[in-house]
Amino acid sequence: MPPSPFRDLTNLGGRAFDRVGELTDRMLDGNLRIGVTGLRRSGKTVFTTALIDNLLHADRLPFLDVVATGRFIAARMEPQPDQAVPRFDYETQIARLTAPDPAWPNNTKVTSQARVAIRYMPGSLLKRRLRGVTRLNLDIIDYPGEWLLDLPLLDRTYAEWSRETLALSRRAPRDALAAEWLAYLSNRDPSGPAEEAVARRAAELYTNYLLACRASDQLLSLIQPGRFVEPGELIGAPVLAFCPLPEPAARAGRHTLWSMMEERFEAYKTNVVRRFFAEHFARLDRQIVLVDVLGALNAGPAALADMQTSLSATLESFHHGRSSWLDRLLGGRIDRVLFAATKADHIPSNQHGNLRRLLDGLVAERRNAIRFEGAAVETMALAALKCTETVMAEHQGRQLSCVRGIPLGRTEPTVLYPGEIPDDHRLLDRDGIRKLNFLDFRPPTLAGRHGRGLPNIRLDQALEFLVGDFLS
Protein backbone atom coordinates (compact mmCIF):
# COMPACT_ATOMS: atom_id res chain seq x y z
CA MET A 1 0.00 0.00 0.00
CA PRO A 2 1.30 3.52 -0.73
CA PRO A 3 2.22 5.61 2.32
CA SER A 4 -0.44 7.78 3.90
CA PRO A 5 -0.31 11.44 2.79
CA PHE A 6 -0.93 12.40 6.42
CA ARG A 7 2.22 10.51 7.41
CA ASP A 8 4.15 12.41 4.72
CA LEU A 9 2.84 15.72 6.10
CA THR A 10 3.82 14.70 9.63
CA ASN A 11 7.30 13.71 8.49
CA LEU A 12 7.64 16.98 6.56
CA GLY A 13 6.67 18.98 9.62
CA GLY A 14 9.11 17.08 11.79
CA ARG A 15 11.95 17.63 9.37
CA ALA A 16 11.17 21.33 9.12
CA PHE A 17 11.25 21.64 12.93
CA ASP A 18 14.53 19.74 13.16
CA ARG A 19 16.15 22.11 10.69
CA VAL A 20 15.58 25.35 12.60
CA GLY A 21 19.23 25.33 13.67
CA GLU A 22 20.39 24.77 10.13
CA LEU A 23 18.26 27.64 8.83
CA THR A 24 19.79 29.90 11.48
CA ASP A 25 23.25 28.94 10.24
CA ARG A 26 22.23 29.75 6.68
CA MET A 27 21.02 33.20 7.72
CA LEU A 28 24.07 34.09 9.83
CA ASP A 29 26.72 32.67 7.48
CA GLY A 30 26.78 31.73 3.83
CA ASN A 31 26.05 28.04 3.66
CA LEU A 32 26.13 25.81 0.59
CA ARG A 33 25.50 22.07 0.31
CA ILE A 34 27.16 20.21 -2.57
CA GLY A 35 26.21 16.62 -3.37
CA VAL A 36 29.05 14.55 -4.84
CA THR A 37 26.98 12.10 -6.86
CA GLY A 38 27.86 9.47 -9.39
CA LEU A 39 27.72 5.79 -10.11
CA ARG A 40 30.03 3.22 -8.59
CA ARG A 41 33.75 3.55 -9.46
CA SER A 42 33.32 7.11 -10.72
CA GLY A 43 35.83 8.45 -8.17
CA LYS A 44 33.59 10.17 -5.61
CA THR A 45 35.87 9.55 -2.62
CA VAL A 46 38.99 10.72 -4.47
CA PHE A 47 37.17 13.81 -5.73
CA THR A 48 35.92 14.72 -2.25
CA THR A 49 39.39 14.21 -0.76
CA ALA A 50 41.06 16.30 -3.46
CA LEU A 51 38.45 19.06 -3.21
CA ILE A 52 38.97 19.39 0.55
CA ASP A 53 42.76 19.16 0.26
CA ASN A 54 43.00 21.84 -2.40
CA LEU A 55 40.72 24.20 -0.50
CA LEU A 56 42.84 23.78 2.62
CA HIS A 57 46.00 24.63 0.64
CA ALA A 58 44.56 26.67 -2.26
CA ASP A 59 47.76 26.83 -4.28
CA ARG A 60 46.67 24.61 -7.19
CA LEU A 61 43.45 26.51 -7.94
CA PRO A 62 44.49 29.26 -10.40
CA PHE A 63 41.10 29.36 -12.14
CA LEU A 64 39.10 29.77 -8.93
CA ASP A 65 38.50 33.51 -9.07
CA VAL A 66 38.66 34.13 -5.32
CA VAL A 67 42.18 32.64 -5.33
CA ALA A 68 43.30 34.22 -8.61
CA THR A 69 42.33 37.72 -7.43
CA GLY A 70 44.02 37.34 -4.04
CA ARG A 71 40.77 37.50 -2.05
CA PHE A 72 41.07 34.00 -0.55
CA ILE A 73 42.22 34.19 3.08
CA ALA A 74 42.13 30.65 4.49
CA ALA A 75 40.03 27.51 4.88
CA ARG A 76 39.74 24.89 7.57
CA MET A 77 37.65 21.82 8.33
CA GLU A 78 34.97 22.16 11.00
CA PRO A 79 32.43 19.76 12.53
CA GLN A 80 29.72 18.89 10.02
CA PRO A 81 26.21 20.18 10.83
CA ASP A 82 24.36 16.82 10.67
CA GLN A 83 25.19 15.06 13.91
CA ALA A 84 23.79 11.69 12.80
CA VAL A 85 25.82 11.55 9.57
CA PRO A 86 29.35 10.10 9.70
CA ARG A 87 32.19 12.54 9.11
CA PHE A 88 34.04 12.11 5.82
CA ASP A 89 37.39 10.64 6.87
CA TYR A 90 39.59 13.09 5.02
CA GLU A 91 42.67 12.41 7.14
CA THR A 92 42.71 8.67 6.39
CA GLN A 93 42.04 9.18 2.68
CA ILE A 94 44.74 11.82 2.21
CA ALA A 95 47.21 9.69 4.15
CA ARG A 96 46.58 6.76 1.77
CA LEU A 97 46.95 8.92 -1.32
CA THR A 98 50.16 10.66 -0.17
CA ALA A 99 51.93 7.72 1.51
CA PRO A 100 55.37 6.61 0.26
CA ASP A 101 53.55 3.65 -1.31
CA PRO A 102 50.26 5.39 -2.22
CA ALA A 103 46.97 3.52 -2.63
CA TRP A 104 43.49 4.38 -3.86
CA PRO A 105 40.66 4.65 -1.29
CA ASN A 106 38.10 1.91 -0.89
CA ASN A 107 34.64 2.33 -2.42
CA THR A 108 32.16 4.52 -0.54
CA LYS A 109 30.12 2.32 1.83
CA VAL A 110 28.05 4.88 3.75
CA THR A 111 26.90 8.46 3.41
CA SER A 112 29.44 10.87 4.87
CA GLN A 113 29.79 14.62 5.18
CA ALA A 114 32.51 17.23 5.56
CA ARG A 115 32.31 20.95 6.24
CA VAL A 116 35.02 23.31 4.99
CA ALA A 117 34.78 26.89 6.26
CA ILE A 118 36.23 29.40 3.78
CA ARG A 119 37.17 32.98 4.76
CA TYR A 120 37.57 35.49 1.94
CA MET A 121 37.18 39.13 0.98
CA PRO A 122 34.18 39.96 -1.21
CA GLY A 123 34.93 41.09 -4.74
CA SER A 124 33.03 44.36 -4.85
CA LEU A 125 33.97 47.46 -2.84
CA LEU A 126 30.37 47.81 -1.58
CA LYS A 127 30.32 44.26 -0.22
CA ARG A 128 33.70 44.82 1.45
CA ARG A 129 32.42 47.93 3.23
CA LEU A 130 29.17 46.28 4.28
CA ARG A 131 30.47 42.86 5.24
CA GLY A 132 34.25 42.96 5.53
CA VAL A 133 35.86 39.52 5.71
CA THR A 134 33.19 36.96 4.82
CA ARG A 135 32.74 33.27 5.51
CA LEU A 136 31.23 30.45 3.47
CA ASN A 137 30.42 27.11 5.07
CA LEU A 138 30.77 24.53 2.31
CA ASP A 139 29.11 21.22 3.18
CA ILE A 140 30.24 18.33 0.97
CA ILE A 141 28.18 15.12 0.99
CA ASP A 142 29.48 11.81 -0.40
CA TYR A 143 27.11 8.90 -1.16
CA PRO A 144 27.51 5.23 -2.14
CA GLY A 145 26.84 5.00 -5.87
CA GLU A 146 24.58 1.98 -5.37
CA TRP A 147 22.23 3.92 -3.10
CA LEU A 148 21.70 6.58 -5.76
CA LEU A 149 20.09 3.99 -8.03
CA ASP A 150 17.28 3.50 -5.51
CA LEU A 151 15.86 6.95 -6.22
CA PRO A 152 14.02 5.95 -9.44
CA LEU A 153 12.10 3.34 -7.42
CA LEU A 154 10.07 6.16 -5.88
CA ASP A 155 8.24 6.58 -9.21
CA ARG A 156 7.67 2.87 -9.81
CA THR A 157 5.00 0.45 -8.67
CA TYR A 158 6.10 -3.04 -7.79
CA ALA A 159 4.50 -4.38 -10.98
CA GLU A 160 6.32 -1.79 -13.15
CA TRP A 161 9.66 -2.41 -11.47
CA SER A 162 9.24 -6.20 -11.77
CA ARG A 163 8.49 -5.98 -15.50
CA GLU A 164 11.45 -3.69 -16.21
CA THR A 165 13.92 -5.64 -14.07
CA LEU A 166 12.94 -9.05 -15.40
CA ALA A 167 13.16 -7.82 -18.99
CA LEU A 168 16.63 -6.40 -18.32
CA SER A 169 17.82 -9.61 -16.66
CA ARG A 170 16.90 -11.65 -19.75
CA ARG A 171 19.12 -9.61 -22.06
CA ALA A 172 22.84 -10.16 -22.61
CA PRO A 173 25.15 -9.85 -20.77
CA ARG A 174 22.90 -10.09 -17.71
CA ASP A 175 21.05 -13.26 -18.75
CA ALA A 176 23.98 -15.54 -17.89
CA LEU A 177 24.43 -13.85 -14.49
CA ALA A 178 20.71 -14.16 -13.65
CA ALA A 179 20.30 -17.80 -14.77
CA GLU A 180 20.05 -19.40 -11.31
CA TRP A 181 17.64 -16.79 -9.97
CA LEU A 182 15.42 -16.91 -13.07
CA ALA A 183 15.37 -20.73 -12.94
CA TYR A 184 14.18 -20.58 -9.31
CA LEU A 185 11.42 -18.11 -10.20
CA SER A 186 10.23 -20.31 -13.07
CA ASN A 187 9.16 -22.96 -10.52
CA ARG A 188 7.33 -20.55 -8.22
CA ASP A 189 3.75 -19.30 -8.49
CA PRO A 190 3.38 -15.59 -7.64
CA SER A 191 -0.25 -16.33 -6.72
CA GLY A 192 0.82 -19.11 -4.38
CA PRO A 193 0.98 -18.84 -0.60
CA ALA A 194 3.30 -16.32 1.03
CA GLU A 195 6.10 -18.49 2.40
CA GLU A 196 8.96 -16.78 4.18
CA ALA A 197 11.48 -19.44 3.14
CA VAL A 198 10.59 -18.98 -0.53
CA ALA A 199 10.81 -15.17 -0.28
CA ARG A 200 14.20 -15.29 1.41
CA ARG A 201 15.64 -17.82 -1.05
CA ALA A 202 14.40 -15.79 -4.01
CA ALA A 203 15.86 -12.61 -2.49
CA GLU A 204 19.17 -14.39 -1.82
CA LEU A 205 19.47 -15.55 -5.43
CA TYR A 206 18.48 -12.11 -6.69
CA THR A 207 21.14 -10.53 -4.47
CA ASN A 208 23.73 -12.96 -5.84
CA TYR A 209 22.74 -11.87 -9.34
CA LEU A 210 23.18 -8.19 -8.42
CA LEU A 211 26.56 -8.89 -6.85
CA ALA A 212 27.60 -10.72 -10.02
CA CYS A 213 26.54 -7.68 -12.06
CA ARG A 214 28.63 -5.44 -9.84
CA ALA A 215 31.68 -7.73 -10.13
CA SER A 216 31.32 -8.17 -13.89
CA ASP A 217 34.02 -6.81 -16.16
CA GLN A 218 31.14 -5.38 -18.22
CA LEU A 219 30.93 -2.52 -15.66
CA LEU A 220 27.15 -2.86 -15.30
CA SER A 221 25.73 0.16 -13.49
CA LEU A 222 21.98 -0.43 -13.12
CA ILE A 223 21.82 -2.41 -9.86
CA GLN A 224 18.57 -2.10 -7.89
CA PRO A 225 17.86 -2.02 -5.01
CA GLY A 226 21.21 -0.60 -3.99
CA ARG A 227 20.94 -1.73 -0.37
CA PHE A 228 20.94 -5.37 -1.52
CA VAL A 229 24.64 -5.03 -2.38
CA GLU A 230 25.51 -2.34 0.20
CA PRO A 231 23.01 -3.06 3.03
CA GLY A 232 24.65 -0.95 5.72
CA GLU A 233 22.65 -1.37 8.92
CA LEU A 234 19.87 -3.33 7.16
CA ILE A 235 21.64 -6.71 7.00
CA GLY A 236 19.06 -9.45 7.68
CA ALA A 237 16.08 -7.08 7.79
CA PRO A 238 12.83 -8.33 6.17
CA VAL A 239 12.75 -5.13 4.12
CA LEU A 240 15.56 -6.65 2.03
CA ALA A 241 13.79 -10.02 1.55
CA PHE A 242 12.01 -9.39 -1.75
CA CYS A 243 12.71 -9.49 -5.47
CA PRO A 244 10.91 -8.93 -8.79
CA LEU A 245 8.31 -11.55 -9.77
CA PRO A 246 6.47 -12.33 -13.02
CA GLU A 247 3.08 -10.64 -12.82
CA PRO A 248 0.28 -13.14 -12.03
CA ALA A 249 -2.39 -13.74 -14.67
CA ALA A 250 -5.15 -12.69 -12.24
CA ARG A 251 -5.04 -10.11 -9.46
CA ALA A 252 -3.16 -11.60 -6.53
CA GLY A 253 -5.06 -11.76 -3.27
CA ARG A 254 -3.78 -11.21 0.22
CA HIS A 255 -1.28 -13.64 1.76
CA THR A 256 0.22 -14.55 -1.64
CA LEU A 257 3.88 -14.50 -2.59
CA TRP A 258 3.18 -11.53 -4.87
CA SER A 259 1.45 -9.52 -2.14
CA MET A 260 4.28 -10.27 0.31
CA MET A 261 6.92 -9.08 -2.16
CA GLU A 262 4.87 -6.01 -3.10
CA GLU A 263 4.41 -5.05 0.55
CA ARG A 264 8.15 -5.30 1.21
CA PHE A 265 8.95 -3.33 -1.93
CA GLU A 266 6.68 -0.49 -0.75
CA ALA A 267 8.19 -0.71 2.75
CA TYR A 268 11.65 -0.38 1.20
CA LYS A 269 10.58 2.72 -0.71
CA THR A 270 9.01 4.30 2.38
CA ASN A 271 11.47 3.37 5.11
CA VAL A 272 14.71 3.39 3.16
CA VAL A 273 14.51 5.36 -0.10
CA ARG A 274 12.13 8.20 0.88
CA ARG A 275 13.92 8.64 4.17
CA PHE A 276 17.32 8.72 2.47
CA PHE A 277 16.08 11.22 -0.13
CA ALA A 278 14.45 13.52 2.44
CA GLU A 279 17.44 13.53 4.79
CA HIS A 280 20.06 14.19 2.11
CA PHE A 281 19.12 14.84 -1.51
CA ALA A 282 16.12 17.09 -0.92
CA ARG A 283 18.45 19.58 0.81
CA LEU A 284 21.16 19.93 -1.83
CA ASP A 285 21.97 23.32 -3.36
CA ARG A 286 24.51 22.25 -5.96
CA GLN A 287 25.38 18.92 -7.52
CA ILE A 288 28.37 17.40 -9.29
CA VAL A 289 27.71 14.19 -11.19
CA LEU A 290 30.90 12.19 -11.71
CA VAL A 291 30.92 9.85 -14.71
CA ASP A 292 33.54 7.21 -15.51
CA VAL A 293 33.18 7.44 -19.29
CA LEU A 294 36.58 5.87 -19.92
CA GLY A 295 35.77 2.85 -17.73
CA ALA A 296 32.51 2.30 -19.61
CA LEU A 297 34.34 2.55 -22.94
CA ASN A 298 36.83 -0.06 -21.72
CA ALA A 299 33.99 -2.41 -20.76
CA GLY A 300 32.17 -2.11 -24.10
CA PRO A 301 28.87 -0.96 -25.65
CA ALA A 302 26.64 -2.75 -23.12
CA ALA A 303 28.36 -0.97 -20.23
CA LEU A 304 28.10 2.39 -21.97
CA ALA A 305 24.36 1.94 -22.60
CA ASP A 306 23.82 0.70 -19.03
CA MET A 307 25.64 3.72 -17.62
CA GLN A 308 23.59 6.12 -19.76
CA THR A 309 20.31 4.52 -18.61
CA SER A 310 21.38 4.57 -14.96
CA LEU A 311 22.39 8.24 -15.02
CA SER A 312 19.17 9.34 -16.68
CA ALA A 313 16.97 7.35 -14.31
CA THR A 314 18.80 8.58 -11.23
CA LEU A 315 18.79 12.27 -12.13
CA GLU A 316 15.03 12.28 -12.78
CA SER A 317 14.53 12.07 -9.02
CA PHE A 318 16.30 15.32 -8.15
CA HIS A 319 14.62 18.73 -7.90
CA HIS A 320 16.47 21.02 -10.29
CA GLY A 321 15.67 24.62 -11.07
CA ARG A 322 16.38 28.24 -10.25
CA SER A 323 16.36 28.89 -6.50
CA SER A 324 14.89 31.87 -4.69
CA TRP A 325 16.34 33.11 -1.40
CA LEU A 326 13.60 31.13 0.41
CA ASP A 327 14.54 27.97 -1.51
CA ARG A 328 18.13 28.58 -0.46
CA LEU A 329 17.13 28.71 3.20
CA LEU A 330 14.83 25.70 3.05
CA GLY A 331 16.92 23.62 0.68
CA GLY A 332 14.33 23.41 -2.08
CA ARG A 333 16.12 23.07 -5.44
CA ILE A 334 19.48 22.33 -7.03
CA ASP A 335 20.31 25.36 -9.16
CA ARG A 336 23.70 24.28 -10.58
CA VAL A 337 24.66 20.86 -11.94
CA LEU A 338 28.11 19.89 -13.22
CA PHE A 339 28.55 16.70 -15.23
CA ALA A 340 32.22 15.69 -15.00
CA ALA A 341 34.01 12.94 -16.91
CA THR A 342 36.57 11.70 -14.40
CA LYS A 343 40.09 10.28 -14.90
CA ALA A 344 40.89 12.73 -17.70
CA ASP A 345 44.57 12.16 -16.90
CA HIS A 346 44.23 8.65 -18.40
CA ILE A 347 44.24 10.22 -21.89
CA PRO A 348 46.49 12.86 -23.49
CA SER A 349 45.55 16.48 -22.88
CA ASN A 350 44.70 17.07 -26.55
CA GLN A 351 41.81 14.58 -26.20
CA HIS A 352 40.17 16.22 -23.19
CA GLY A 353 37.91 18.26 -25.46
CA ASN A 354 36.64 15.11 -27.17
CA LEU A 355 36.01 13.48 -23.78
CA ARG A 356 33.95 16.47 -22.66
CA ARG A 357 31.94 16.50 -25.89
CA LEU A 358 31.40 12.74 -25.65
CA LEU A 359 30.02 13.11 -22.13
CA ASP A 360 27.90 16.05 -23.28
CA GLY A 361 26.25 13.84 -25.89
CA LEU A 362 25.71 10.97 -23.45
CA VAL A 363 23.84 13.19 -20.96
CA ALA A 364 22.25 15.54 -23.53
CA GLU A 365 18.65 14.57 -22.84
CA ARG A 366 18.94 14.93 -19.07
CA ARG A 367 21.12 18.05 -19.39
CA ASN A 368 18.50 19.78 -21.53
CA ALA A 369 15.70 18.78 -19.15
CA ILE A 370 17.62 20.28 -16.20
CA ARG A 371 18.24 23.49 -18.12
CA PHE A 372 14.56 23.71 -19.02
CA GLU A 373 13.76 23.51 -15.30
CA GLY A 374 15.91 26.61 -14.77
CA ALA A 375 19.19 25.26 -13.41
CA ALA A 376 22.61 26.09 -14.83
CA VAL A 377 24.37 23.04 -16.31
CA GLU A 378 27.95 22.50 -17.44
CA THR A 379 30.01 19.53 -18.63
CA MET A 380 33.72 19.09 -18.05
CA ALA A 381 36.60 16.59 -18.23
CA LEU A 382 38.68 16.54 -15.04
CA ALA A 383 41.00 14.50 -12.86
CA ALA A 384 40.74 15.01 -9.11
CA LEU A 385 44.21 13.49 -8.73
CA LYS A 386 46.53 13.72 -11.73
CA CYS A 387 48.52 10.48 -12.08
CA THR A 388 50.10 10.85 -15.53
CA GLU A 389 51.68 13.37 -17.84
CA THR A 390 51.19 13.87 -21.56
CA VAL A 391 54.25 12.99 -23.64
CA MET A 392 55.02 12.66 -27.33
CA ALA A 393 56.16 9.30 -28.71
CA GLU A 394 57.08 8.18 -32.20
CA HIS A 395 55.19 5.24 -33.74
CA GLN A 396 55.70 4.12 -37.35
CA GLY A 397 57.06 7.51 -38.26
CA ARG A 398 54.21 9.42 -36.57
CA GLN A 399 54.37 11.58 -33.47
CA LEU A 400 51.57 10.51 -31.12
CA SER A 401 50.31 12.15 -27.94
CA CYS A 402 50.55 9.52 -25.18
CA VAL A 403 50.32 9.34 -21.39
CA ARG A 404 53.11 8.26 -19.05
CA GLY A 405 52.43 6.89 -15.58
CA ILE A 406 52.76 3.79 -13.43
CA PRO A 407 49.88 1.36 -14.14
CA LEU A 408 48.32 -0.53 -11.23
CA GLY A 409 50.26 -3.69 -10.49
CA ARG A 410 53.52 -2.34 -11.93
CA THR A 411 56.46 -0.47 -10.47
CA GLU A 412 57.92 1.33 -13.47
CA PRO A 413 56.43 4.09 -15.64
CA THR A 414 54.80 3.08 -18.91
CA VAL A 415 54.11 5.17 -22.01
CA LEU A 416 50.67 4.34 -23.42
CA TYR A 417 48.77 5.43 -26.51
CA PRO A 418 45.10 4.84 -25.51
CA GLY A 419 43.58 5.49 -28.94
CA GLU A 420 41.52 8.38 -30.32
CA ILE A 421 38.28 9.14 -28.50
CA PRO A 422 35.51 10.33 -30.84
CA ASP A 423 33.64 13.47 -29.84
CA ASP A 424 30.22 11.94 -30.57
CA HIS A 425 28.83 8.84 -28.81
CA ARG A 426 26.95 7.90 -31.98
CA LEU A 427 30.30 7.11 -33.60
CA LEU A 428 31.11 4.52 -30.95
CA ASP A 429 30.44 1.23 -32.67
CA ARG A 430 31.72 -2.05 -31.25
CA ASP A 431 34.82 -2.15 -33.45
CA GLY A 432 35.73 1.42 -32.56
CA ILE A 433 35.50 0.74 -28.83
CA ARG A 434 37.79 -2.30 -29.17
CA LYS A 435 40.56 0.00 -30.41
CA LEU A 436 40.57 1.97 -27.16
CA ASN A 437 42.69 0.95 -24.20
CA PHE A 438 42.61 2.83 -20.90
CA LEU A 439 44.75 1.57 -18.02
CA ASP A 440 44.24 2.37 -14.34
CA PHE A 441 47.26 4.10 -12.84
CA ARG A 442 48.75 4.25 -9.36
CA PRO A 443 48.49 7.51 -7.43
CA PRO A 444 51.63 9.62 -7.95
CA THR A 445 54.35 9.20 -5.35
CA LEU A 446 54.68 12.10 -2.91
CA ALA A 447 51.61 13.82 -4.35
CA GLY A 448 51.23 16.14 -1.37
CA ARG A 449 54.89 17.09 -0.93
CA HIS A 450 55.78 20.59 0.26
CA GLY A 451 52.29 20.93 1.76
CA ARG A 452 50.68 21.66 -1.61
CA GLY A 453 47.23 20.48 -2.61
CA LEU A 454 46.88 17.31 -4.69
CA PRO A 455 47.78 17.79 -8.37
CA ASN A 456 44.65 17.83 -10.50
CA ILE A 457 43.11 18.73 -13.83
CA ARG A 458 40.37 21.41 -13.82
CA LEU A 459 39.36 20.97 -10.20
CA ASP A 460 39.61 24.75 -9.91
CA GLN A 461 37.25 25.24 -12.86
CA ALA A 462 34.78 22.79 -11.32
CA LEU A 463 34.88 24.74 -8.05
CA GLU A 464 34.44 28.06 -9.85
CA PHE A 465 31.26 26.79 -11.49
CA LEU A 466 29.90 25.20 -8.30
CA VAL A 467 30.74 27.86 -5.70
CA GLY A 468 32.32 30.83 -7.50
CA ASP A 469 29.19 32.98 -7.30
CA PHE A 470 29.08 32.54 -3.51
CA LEU A 471 32.70 33.70 -3.24
CA SER A 472 32.24 36.82 -5.40
Side-chain angles (χ1 to χ4, degrees):
M1 294 291 291
S4 164
F6 297 105
R7 181 184 302 172
D8 286 346
L9 287 174
T10 301
N11 291 340
L12 180 62
R15 290 195 301 271
F17 181 79
D18 290 341
R19 292 180 58 208
V20 169
E22 180 184 338
L23 299 186
T24 302
D25 285 345
R26 286 179 177 243
M27 293 170 66
L28 295 176
D29 289 309
N31 198 51
L32 196 64
R33 293 174 64 92
I34 294 181
V36 180
T37 56
L39 303 178
R40 183 173 54 94
R41 292 189 282 195
S42 59
K44 295 184 297 298
T45 301
V46 176
F47 177 86
T48 302
T49 303
L51 187 153
I52 294 171
D53 190 60
N54 276 281
L55 284 174
L56 295 180
H57 298 95
D59 56 358
R60 292 189 190 266
L61 302 173
F63 288 98
L64 181 60
D65 186 73
V66 70
V67 174
T69 56
R71 297 183 293 107
F72 182 92
I73 297 174
R76 70 181 182 190
M77 293 193 71
E78 296 200 342
Q80 75 271 28
D82 297 320
Q83 302 298 318
V85 178
R87 179 181 181 272
F88 180 81
D89 192 1
Y90 162 75
E91 291 79 9
T92 296
Q93 307 300 355
I94 196 67
R96 286 174 63 93
L97 291 172
T98 58
D101 185 17
W104 293 111
N106 295 322
N107 291 336
T108 304
K109 299 289 185 181
V110 297
T111 299
S112 61
Q113 185 181 92
R115 168 169 281 191
V116 179
I118 303 169
R119 290 180 65 82
Y120 66 99
M121 287 297 295
S124 75
L125 182 60
L126 178 60
K127 285 183 179 179
R128 290 183 189 183
R129 288 179 174 175
L130 291 176
R131 300 164 60 185
V133 174
T134 307
R135 166 174 164 155
L136 173 67
N137 295 321
L138 185 62
D139 296 324
I140 308 158
I141 303 97
D142 182 28
Y143 311 92
E146 288 85 353
W147 293 7
L148 292 174
L149 288 166
D150 283 345
L151 300 181
L153 299 180
L154 295 174
D155 296 322
R156 301 288 191 275
T157 66
Y158 176 66
E160 291 169 341
W161 177 67
S162 290
R163 283 195 299 272
E164 294 169 1
T165 305
L166 284 167
L168 184 66
S169 71
R170 292 179 176 127
R171 296 198 298 264
R174 293 174 180 261
D175 51 350
L177 305 177
E180 187 178 5
W181 168 59
L182 293 175
Y184 184 81
L185 289 188
S186 67
N187 295 317
R188 299 295 176 275
D189 180 8
S191 299
E195 299 179 18
E196 182 66 26
V198 172
R200 288 196 169 273
R201 180 56 178 162
E204 179 186 9
L205 292 174
Y206 179 65
T207 301
N208 292 342
Y209 155 62
L210 294 181
L211 290 169
C213 288
R214 184 169 74 163
S216 170
D217 58 8
Q218 296 291 313
L219 200 71
L220 300 173
S221 303
L222 194 53
I223 297 173
Q224 292 174 323
R227 291 297 187 105
F228 278 49
V229 294
E230 290 292 349
E233 75 284 1
L234 297 176
I235 294 177
V239 76
L240 298 187
F242 69 90
C243 73
L245 290 176
E247 199 164 358
R251 181 178 177 83
R254 297 180 61 191
H255 310 302
T256 62
L257 183 61
W258 175 274
S259 64
M260 171 190 275
M261 296 288 200
E262 183 177 34
E263 181 179 342
R264 290 179 177 179
F265 174 79
E266 292 296 338
Y268 184 87
K269 285 167 55 178
T270 299
N271 300 321
V272 180
V273 186
R274 279 195 178 91
R275 186 176 180 182
F276 179 51
F277 183 85
E279 290 178 353
H280 301 291
F281 294 110
R283 299 161 55 196
L284 294 181
D285 302 311
R286 305 279 164 88
Q287 180 180 29
I288 180 167
V289 183
L290 303 178
V291 187
D292 184 9
V293 177
L294 300 181
L297 288 175
N298 255 356
L304 198 65
D306 205 67
M307 181 193 72
Q308 194 173 10
T309 300
S310 300
L311 281 172
S312 180
T314 299
L315 290 170
E316 287 176 1
S317 304
F318 289 91
H319 300 302
H320 300 106
R322 191 181 302 277
S323 294
S324 67
W325 67 269
L326 185 58
D327 288 327
R328 181 70 59 203
L329 286 177
L330 299 177
R333 286 182 177 272
I334 298 169
D335 61 6
R336 291 198 180 194
V337 181
L338 175 63
F339 290 97
T342 57
K343 307 175 186 177
D345 58 322
H346 290 25
I347 59 175
S349 57
N350 66 341
Q351 292 201 50
H352 291 179
N354 278 9
L355 179 59
R356 186 198 69 77
R357 286 185 287 272
L358 180 60
L359 172 64
D360 202 54
L362 289 169
V363 301
E365 183 178 352
R366 195 65 228 148
R367 179 204 64 207
N368 292 338
I370 293 171
R371 281 181 178 159
F372 185 82
E373 291 167 357
V377 187
E378 186 58 83
T379 54
M380 191 176 293
L382 59 78
L385 176 56
K386 186 174 180 287
C387 304
T388 70
E389 58 181 340
T390 298
V391 297
M392 300 301 295
E394 185 174 338
H395 177 69
Q396 296 180 351
R398 296 174 57 203
Q399 288 290 319
L400 299 176
S401 292
C402 303
V403 292
R404 180 171 61 196
I406 303 176
L408 286 178
R410 304 184 194 176
T411 57
E412 297 297 326
T414 295
V415 174
L416 172 72
Y417 175 67
E420 289 285 340
I421 298 177
D423 60 1
D424 189 333
H425 69 286
R426 292 168 294 188
L427 302 176
L428 285 167
D429 57 24
R430 186 176 296 274
D431 290 336
I433 288 180
R434 284 201 188 105
K435 296 176 184 176
L436 301 173
N437 179 31
F438 310 110
L439 295 182
D440 287 327
F441 292 91
R442 293 179 54 188
T445 303
L446 300 176
R449 62 183 178 274
H450 308 311
R452 300 189 68 192
L454 294 176
N456 62 82
I457 297 174
R458 299 186 189 89
L459 185 62
D460 51 356
Q461 294 179 44
L463 276 168
E464 179 63 25
F465 175 76
L466 291 168
V467 306
D469 58 326
F470 265 67
L471 298 172
S472 64

